[in-house]
Amino acid sequence: EVQLVESGGGLVQPGGSLRLSCAASGFTFTSFSMSWVRQAPGKGLEWVANINHDASDKYYVDSVKGRFSISRDNSRNSLYLQMNSLRGEDTAVYYCARVYWIEPRPGHFDYWGQGTLVTVSS
Amino acid sequence: QSALTQPASVSGSPGQSITISCTGTSSDVGSYELVSWFQQHPGKAPKLMIFEVTKRPSGVSNRFSGSKSGNTASLTISGLQAEDEGDYYCCSYAGSSTLVFGGGTKLTVL
């Protein structure tokens, strides 16, 4: 059974940093691209970042470029999101999602974690 | 990276059919057969309902179907049931390995 479990969320002040983690199990982690998707309170879903299977390619939504960094450790079956220079508008539930890649591009998100809440506030 | 356009809300009675539209541009929905749809219940993670415009994952009811014409994709739910109530989001590949979601549609079963 595919499982994705996020952790690392919490309350952080504007301008601060936070690192989210996602522990994957139930599938061959090294064979799949992964993503982070976020959802602000009462709002819709927003794709944040993609990383391919071997971390050689990374892509970001414009609003987080230069502030967020996606990474993975295939030896630990783990996905990460380093978030720096956090702003109030980054407040959201952050979901880890597996990407079904349809060469040469991402197709859809087929499995999701339960999410971790990040609150940016003073 | 502009969000796809969905109606804010739709409603229907049990047994009826409803359709949710998802309008993008020639840079996303109109250029790729990579539209997916997600169902989300309050406090829960999104669930994949349709992928590659028309395909259903194993375990998803055949009451759910997808289509696309030009820059607009659609999700149709037939034989509406109370358990179908929730939020629905479309998602499309948008080029350069990026993806974009719609703003979401709240489905109410009357």
Side-chain angles (χ1 to χ4, degrees), chain A residues 68-114:
Chain A
F68 289 13
S69 178
I70 189 171
S71 63
R72 63 191 294 161
D73 184 340
N74 285 345
S75 69
R76 296 177 181 270
N77 287 356
S78 292
L79 175 72
Y80 305 102
L81 186 67
Q82 177 67 44
M83 304 184 294
N84 300 327
S85 303
L86 282 161
R87 307 166 180 167
E89 54 264 38
D90 296 318
T91 294
V93 172
Y94 284 74
Y95 293 101
C96 162
R98 193 177 82 168
V99 182
Y100 191 89
W101 201 267
I102 301 171
E103 285 296 339
R105 50 187 65 100
H108 56 272
F109 307 109
D110 57 357
Y111 288 94
W112 298 64
Q114 285 304 303

Side-chain angles (χ1 to χ4, degrees), chain A residues 25-64:
Chain A
S25 61
F27 65 101
T28 304
F29 186 67
T30 53
S31 295
F32 287 87
S33 295
M34 299 293 295
S35 282
W36 288 98
V37 176
R38 67 183 178 183
Q39 186 169 34
K43 303 297 184 182
L45 301 169
E46 180 183 37
W47 168 76
V48 174
N50 280 346
I51 187 169
N52 71 342
H53 66 101
D54 64 1
S56 58
D57 291 315
K58 304 174 186 181
Y59 304 91
Y60 302 90
V61 67
D62 286 347
S63 59
V64 308

Side-chain angles (χ1 to χ4, degrees), chain B residues 15-47:
Chain B
Q16 287 187 330
S17 294
I18 64 94
T19 296
I20 300 172
S21 62
C22 169
T23 301
T25 70
S26 58
S27 297
D28 38 60
V29 174
S31 287
Y32 309 98
E33 301 302 299
L34 291 175
V35 176
S36 51
W37 289 90
F38 298 89
Q39 176 192 66
Q40 188 179 35
H41 290 131
K44 300 295 186 181
K47 175 187 176 184

Side-chain angles (χ1 to χ4, degrees), chain B residues 46 54 92 94 110:
Chain B
T54 62
S92 175
L110 302 170

